[in-house]
Amino acid sequence: MKVIPVNYALSFEPNFANFTFTANEILDVKIPISTSVIRLDAAELKIKSCDVVSGGQKFRAKTKLDEKKESLEIRIPRKVRGNAKIAIEFSGILNDRLVGFYRSQYKDKFGNVKYLATTQFEAADARRAFPCVDEPAAKATFEITLITENRHAAISNMNLISKKQAGSRTIHRFAKTPIMSTYLLYLGVGEFEFLTSKQGKVQYRIVTTKGNSSKGKFALDLCKKLVTSYENYFGIKYPLPKLDLIAVPDFASGAMENWGAITFRETILLYDAKTSSTQTKQYIAEVVSHELAHQWFGNLVTMEWWNDLWLNESFATFMATKFVDKFYPEWKLWDQFLEDTMNTAMSLDALHSSHPIDVKVNAPSEIREIFDAISYDKGGCVLRMLEGFVTESKFRQGLRVYLKKFSYKNAKGNDLWDEIGRASRMPVKSMVNSWIGQVGFPLVEAQKQRSSLSLTQKRFVLEQKGGQKGVWQIPVSIRDNDRTVTKLITKKKQAIQVKSDTLVLNSGRHGFYRVKYSDDLLYELKSLILEKSLSHVDRWAIQNDLFALCISGDGTAKSYLEFADAYENEDDYITISNVAGNLYSLYQKTINEPFSYEIKNIAHEFFKKIFLRVGWDAKKGEPHTHALLRSQIIGSLGKLGDEEITAEANERFEKYLRNPNSLNPDLQGTVFSIVAWNGNKQTYKKLLTLYRKVRTQEEKLRFLGALCNFKDKALILQTLNFSQTREVRSQNMHLPVMQTAANQYGKKLLWPWLKKNWVRLRVKVGTGSPLLNRMVSSISLVADDSMEREIRAFFRKNPTPGTERTLEQTLERIRISSAFLRRIRQEYS
Ligand code: BES
Ligand code: ZN
């Protein structure tokens, strides 16, 4: 029988000498039905004693922990019901697998090895720290005590209410939390350094290891502004008295929204103007914004069960961009959203092996697997489309009611659709359900006859096999000459009256669908693009869809390349970046083909033209996005073997060796990789020495990346093996695998290396780690469809729970690439 928790009084004492912790728990519960057996979630814990107090009587309980079911059975001699207290003494492990209560290792500035203890409980790992009802709907209050060595500081969700020294130990007690879910609880112990600030009634702190807190200034300042902005938007004050942003040296994902104690990878919180790139700065802002959105949406109002996880994550994804954009409009984050979020989502959702946003999940391993581009990115796009459909103000109005109504409670997706539907008086539920209940998204084919535009929808897939099911409710925005009209399309085939011949569908790209224009409509658009009389988003979208059609076989590579001519004078960031990315990707896909040089020349010419505009050095007052474009274009030119770029990169590297400040952080990664691309054993040594020498994780990752960019196979192999040593944190060990997969000289050796090392990798990061999925995905870049059976057989022999769906997606991508290659060979034969 599961019980209903009311309050947890928890005291933990971590022991860094043997990486264990001892703990004490008094759990107040309600027992709804008379029982003598109580079950709690628990794993990897040793129970020392357990007593149950009920009806004024105290019973000594017998306990049994089933590690497989992660369940603790508590048996008492008599049946009890109603209010009870369960008192448990137990111990556990400060593990190194980055889940539950775990340890993180780092070196201080004198090179001494140090440890800190921290927690990661989402989705279902609070049970590794204490017996509990580890489900989002089992909300309770928490009273936390942390007992530490005197030199250690302690952090939890709430503010410290007392700190007492008792001999060699210090006892830290924290205020009682509001009612909340277990996955949001936080414990941290270590020799932290703080950067603090107060705003309104809230105490803000950046928490880092010693010597690093000043790098938290950017995040701290932005955090305060964002909180005010979110408070105004939601109409609800941030509910806790304090908010910590904590940089953790070892961290499995990117960041985690623990209520009042948000944790981050160091590279996603710490900004140093001397060494950090523009990309890093942007990413810090987005992630801080994302985790702050969760403080309301997720923490204050929590999903009933994990099937609505997508709503949590997609909402935070959408809000993250919306709110950073308010402070940094010049970053053009909504444009970047199209590239990063929408393209990522569409690329996954165009696979037969994708899944609907709304899926049933039960076991913890299933929960972990749905933290993917469908939940985050497609979900984020659907919310953006919904906001566009009902208008910004109605969206917000419904959202505010929802948040008030369900504060300190749990809710389902439908509760939100109901409120937005009520506010807007529009058919929100049926519209949204057509996007979240079925897999995939539509391709809308457009054809014009006289003044009638005929629209047909079918599922867009990259692998052609059989008829596709599915009808979506699509808010279609059509730019008809100078007017934009929006119509909700609900049928497979529908006609709309239009005025002009120059029609852009999905204008503004709010809709999550692709468009295929008839030849005559496309012809009209090409001239408008050349004249730049279409908006930059529409210019971006037209070729973006055309490129997807070329990969799926709905169009040809030659027709894409021909159309790309229209972009020769393009000046918009995402448009240039996407055309460049597509050209580069065509070149990569055909690199071993006799006609490769034809594509290479087109790409080279395009890149060179852009390069002549952006140059090596930032100009005063140039657009923010130039920094991003510059490193992409120079990087691509380097890979194409452009001599001028290569020579300059080498020269700048030599200067960097003499004076590291001479090289702009935005160019560092690119320059190091070009140097490696043209380098030898000596170069390798230099880069490896630098990897060891630089201080921040961000800088280290630049060198680790460069070490994967040699042409010499022996050197690439050396990096793969290096990535398994203690010198590379386990949180980063997938990066060399992914970068080797992207290196044309590394492709052949990656699969044999992965096979040889798979068991070791799996053990190192632990079953269910998302890093395993990243490594499985990378196989799609190194295999062709003749290897499908072998790959399948390997994973059948080496089952890796939690990667099954990713494997299917990877194999599908492999088949898609091979089919594409066969088609393009025909085109060029
Ligand atoms: N809630 C997640 C963190 C998380 C992810 C916990 C997977 C457990 C399993 C957090 O809010 C998040 O989304 N983090 C992202 C960063 C983000 C801005 C995309 C991450 O870690 O990748
Ligand atoms: Zn999130």
Side-chain angles (χ1 to χ4, degrees):
M1 149 113 292
K2 276 217 170 146
V3 293
I4 302 163
V6 176
N7 182 62
Y8 293 83
L10 285 160
S11 158
F12 294 91
E13 180 171 354
N15 181 343
F16 288 97
N18 59 8
F19 303 127
T20 61
F21 63 89
T22 51
N24 236 306
E25 171 171 356
I26 297 170
L27 171 55
D28 295 343
V29 296
K30 282 204 168 80
I31 305 175
I33 301 169
S34 178
T35 182
S36 61
V37 185
I38 295 166
R39 285 203 178 80
L40 294 174
D41 297 306
E44 299 175 52
L45 299 176
K46 250 200 220 127
I47 309 296
K48 203 168 135 208
S49 75
C50 178
D51 295 307
V52 176
V53 180
S54 172
Q57 275 185 297
K58 179 167 166 178
F59 306 99
R60 175 67 16 148
K62 282 213 173 91
T63 58
K64 204 167 82 193
L65 206 159
D66 182 335
E67 284 293 351
K68 201 142 181 251
K69 288 196 187 131
E70 306 192 334
S71 173
L72 175 69
E73 185 184 280
I74 299 172
R75 234 169 233 288
I76 45 176
R78 196 115 53 77
K79 284 196 170 178
V80 293
R81 66 173 290 177
N83 294 338
K85 276 185 196 296
I86 307 173
I88 313 174
E89 287 182 303
F90 61 98
S91 62
I93 307 160
L94 288 180
N95 69 70
D96 61 357
R97 297 194 327 274
L98 319 189
V99 293
F101 202 3
Y102 72 91
R103 65 182 190 265
S104 171
Q105 194 196 72
Y106 62 97
K107 284 194 181 135
D108 69 9
K109 67 173 176 208
F110 307 110
N112 301 317
V113 173
K114 295 273 173 177
Y115 292 93
L116 58 85
T118 184
T119 56
Q120 169 62 42
F121 289 164
E122 190 179 12
D125 292 313
R127 64 192 65 181
R128 277 166 229 290
F130 60 102
C132 56
V133 181
D134 203 6
E135 295 172 9
K139 287 194 174 188
T141 51
F142 294 82
E143 291 171 285
I144 303 292
T145 303
L146 288 169
I147 305 172
T148 72
E149 292 168 43
N150 295 332
R151 69 199 152 95
H152 281 149
I155 304 168
S156 187
N157 305 78
M158 296 296 286
N159 52 308
L160 197 64
I161 47 174
S162 78
K163 186 172 153 183
K164 277 194 217 115
Q165 197 166 321
S168 65
R169 292 287 178 268
T170 300
I171 302 167
H172 310 253
R173 294 187 54 228
F174 297 91
K176 189 180 196 162
T177 69
I179 171 167
M180 63 183 276
S181 305
T182 48
Y183 81 91
L184 295 167
L185 197 70
Y186 182 73
L187 314 167
V189 173
E191 292 176 42
F192 298 121
E193 187 175 281
F194 301 88
L195 182 69
T196 62
S197 172
K198 191 148 185 167
Q199 176 175 273
K201 290 184 179 144
V202 182
Q203 179 77 41
Y204 292 85
R205 298 189 298 185
I206 298 287
V207 185
T208 66
T209 56
K210 290 255 158 76
N212 291 311
S213 65
S214 65
K215 299 189 191 109
K217 188 164 183 332
F218 171 67
L220 182 64
D221 291 346
L222 181 63
C223 173
K224 291 190 295 183
K225 289 194 262 182
L226 284 168
V227 167
T228 307
S229 193
Y230 275 121
E231 288 178 335
N232 291 333
Y233 181 80
F234 294 133
I236 300 175
K237 285 265 172 204
Y238 172 74
L240 305 186
K242 69 95 173 167
L243 177 54
D244 290 328
L245 308 182
I246 309 160
V248 184
D250 295 285
F251 196 80
S253 57
M256 174 66 211
E257 70 267 27
N258 314 300
W259 214 359
I262 307 174
T263 44
F264 298 81
R265 273 189 186 213
E266 288 187 344
T267 49
I268 302 183
L269 187 66
L270 305 181
Y271 178 79
D272 176 5
K274 269 217 194 88
T275 57
S276 296
S277 66
T278 302
Q279 193 79 57
T280 293
K281 187 173 188 177
Q282 253 189 217
Y283 200 52
I284 290 170
E286 286 226 51
V287 179
V288 168
S289 179
H290 176 114
E291 305 309 338
L292 286 178
H294 279 313
Q295 304 302 304
W296 287 262
F297 202 104
N299 300 6
L300 184 62
V301 178
T302 310
M303 70 239 137
E304 186 82 38
W305 181 245
W306 296 109
N307 65 309
D308 271 326
L309 161 90
W310 78 273
L311 189 55
N312 229 10
E313 294 306 344
S314 59
F315 186 86
T317 300
F318 173 59
M319 286 290 136
T321 303
K322 195 178 177 65
F323 280 76
V324 178
D325 183 60
K326 290 181 198 282
F327 297 101
Y328 293 97
E330 72 279 15
W331 289 2
K332 303 265 163 65
L333 289 180
W334 281 121
D335 291 354
Q336 295 190 47
F337 183 93
L338 296 175
E339 280 276 3
D340 303 338
T341 306
M342 205 182 243
N343 265 354
T344 307
M346 285 188 171
S347 135
L348 179 54
D349 209 26
L351 303 180
H352 297 279
S353 50
S354 177
H355 63 89
I357 288 182
D358 201 355
V359 284
K360 281 213 167 61
V361 287
N362 289 306
S365 72
E366 293 172 342
I367 299 168
R368 258 181 239 124
E369 212 185 348
I370 54 169
F371 282 85
D372 65 0
I374 296 300
S375 295
Y376 278 74
D377 300 327
K378 183 184 180 183
C381 292
V382 169
L383 291 177
R384 177 166 167 268
M385 177 163 64
L386 173 63
E387 189 194 58
F389 179 54
V390 301
T391 75
E392 210 171 339
S393 78
K394 298 293 176 201
F395 183 87
R396 165 170 154 172
Q397 197 183 319
L399 183 63
R400 281 177 163 219
V401 175
Y402 165 88
L403 286 175
K404 284 245 161 59
K405 192 161 160 186
F406 294 98
S407 281
Y408 304 102
K409 296 196 184 86
N410 296 80
K412 295 198 189 68
N414 272 336
D415 296 320
L416 179 59
W417 316 138
D418 283 345
E419 295 308 336
I420 298 178
R422 214 164 278 153
S424 63
R425 297 159 183 257
M426 285 169 91
V428 168
K429 213 191 265 182
S430 63
M431 186 278 217
V432 172
N433 278 327
S434 84
W435 294 93
I436 67 177
Q438 54 186 348
V439 66
F441 63 93
L443 173 69
V444 173
E445 294 187 50
Q447 220 143 27
K448 195 176 164 242
Q449 273 159 344
R450 283 189 214 101
S451 65
S452 169
L453 180 69
S454 132
L455 302 177
T456 319
Q457 56 163 306
K458 65 167 190 201
R459 182 174 176 203
F460 178 70
V461 284
L462 290 169
E463 185 180 39
Q464 303 308 330
K465 54 173 192 193
Q468 292 309 319
K469 282 193 302 200
V471 181
W472 286 262
Q473 300 198 0
I474 319 172
V476 175
S477 291
I478 304 172
R479 186 177 177 278
D480 184 355
N481 220 351
D482 308 321
R483 270 182 345 137
T484 303
V485 289
T486 302
K487 286 249 159 65
L488 189 68
I489 299 287
T490 55
K491 300 205 189 79
K492 243 194 141 76
K493 200 166 172 164
Q494 234 160 301
I496 291 176
Q497 291 303 306
V498 289
K499 295 226 158 66
S500 75
D501 282 332
T502 55
L503 299 165
V504 181
L505 273 79
N506 205 0
S507 183
R509 251 296 183 116
H510 280 264
F512 193 70
Y513 62 96
R514 292 199 182 278
V515 180
K516 183 178 180 182
Y517 293 97
S518 63
D519 289 345
D520 44 339
L521 287 174
L522 194 61
Y523 184 79
E524 294 283 339
L525 293 176
K526 191 172 176 182
S527 45
L528 297 187
I529 290 167
L530 258 170
E531 300 164 7
K532 293 207 204 85
S533 52
L534 296 183
S535 77
H536 68 284
V537 168
D538 290 350
R539 300 202 297 273
W540 174 87
I542 292 165
Q543 62 78 40
N544 184 265
D545 283 341
L546 208 53
F547 187 72
L549 294 173
C550 138
I551 302 298
S552 70
D554 290 282
T556 63
K558 282 191 173 161
S559 64
Y560 175 77
L561 289 171
E562 224 169 84
F563 195 82
D565 285 347
Y567 296 85
E568 60 179 9
N569 294 319
E570 185 55 59
D571 54 10
D572 166 61
Y573 166 60
I574 47 156
T575 311
I576 294 173
S577 172
N578 196 241
V579 172
N582 291 338
L583 292 176
Y584 188 74
S585 141
L586 278 182
Y587 163 66
Q588 280 286 314
K589 284 175 191 292
T590 55
I591 208 155
N592 296 316
E593 304 299 318
F595 54 85
S596 170
Y597 71 95
E598 290 189 41
I599 294 170
K600 186 177 176 177
N601 288 344
I602 296 174
H604 199 158
E605 200 185 319
F606 185 80
F607 299 158
K608 205 61 190 228
K609 217 178 207 172
I610 308 298
F611 169 73
L612 290 177
R613 251 191 276 151
V614 294
W616 276 94
D617 297 303
K619 290 171 204 72
K620 239 201 167 126
E622 72 175 17
H624 162 90
T625 46
H626 265 41
L628 310 177
L629 188 59
R630 180 174 292 119
S631 60
Q632 180 191 352
I633 293 294
I634 292 179
S636 301
L637 283 168
K639 280 288 156 66
L640 293 187
D642 184 283
E643 284 172 15
E644 187 192 341
I645 294 289
T646 306
E648 181 74 21
N650 281 324
E651 204 167 295
R652 286 180 184 241
F653 180 60
E654 290 304 321
K655 268 196 212 143
Y656 171 88
L657 291 175
R658 292 192 294 272
N659 172 17
N661 293 333
S662 67
L663 187 54
N664 188 318
D666 285 325
L667 286 175
Q668 289 186 7
T670 309
V671 164
F672 304 152
S673 289
I674 296 175
V675 166
W677 189 241
N678 300 287
N680 54 24
K681 263 192 178 148
Q682 275 72 46
T683 324
Y684 193 97
K685 251 199 184 144
K686 275 186 207 164
L687 292 170
L688 184 59
T689 306
L690 288 163
Y691 173 85
R692 291 178 168 142
K693 191 176 129 197
V694 291
R695 303 256 35 103
T696 69
Q697 291 205 34
E698 183 185 356
E699 290 171 285
K700 280 194 194 294
L701 291 185
R702 284 182 194 135
F703 289 108
L704 188 60
L707 290 173
C708 303
N709 274 292
F710 282 84
K711 290 177 185 161
D712 181 340
K713 298 202 171 55
L715 295 176
I716 301 172
L717 208 55
Q718 200 174 322
T719 304
L720 284 174
N721 292 331
F722 176 69
S723 74
Q724 298 312 305
T725 66
R726 294 237 301 249
E727 289 192 75
V728 177
R729 289 182 187 276
S730 69
Q731 66 177 11
N732 296 328
M733 73 175 210
H734 59 299
L735 298 174
V737 171
M738 292 165 66
Q739 270 152 331
T740 300
N743 177 346
Q744 70 201 79
Y745 298 96
K747 287 188 197 303
K748 286 242 160 60
L749 54 93
L750 185 64
W751 173 234
W753 184 87
L754 272 181
K755 280 195 289 189
K756 206 168 103 198
N757 289 279
W758 191 251
V759 176
R760 208 151 51 106
L761 299 176
R762 209 181 57 202
V763 172
K764 190 164 174 184
V765 293
T767 305
S769 163
L771 301 190
L772 292 169
N773 282 314
R774 309 288 281 276
M775 292 192 279
V776 170
S777 301
S778 70
I779 301 169
S780 72
L781 291 176
V782 307
D784 63 42
D785 56 0
S786 71
M787 293 158 69
E788 180 167 355
R789 286 178 105 191
E790 184 201 332
I791 296 168
R792 249 185 225 292
F794 176 80
F795 285 103
R796 209 172 298 130
K797 253 214 212 124
N798 296 276
T800 311
T803 62
E804 296 85 352
R805 207 197 309 264
T806 306
L807 179 63
E808 281 313 313
Q809 292 163 350
T810 302
L811 293 170
E812 190 174 342
R813 285 192 202 283
I814 291 170
R815 294 194 301 272
I816 290 162
S817 297
S818 293
F820 170 77
L821 204 52
R822 283 191 283 272
R823 282 197 315 271
I824 196 171
R825 277 178 190 145
Q826 293 264 310
E827 278 189 57
Y828 279 88
S829 70

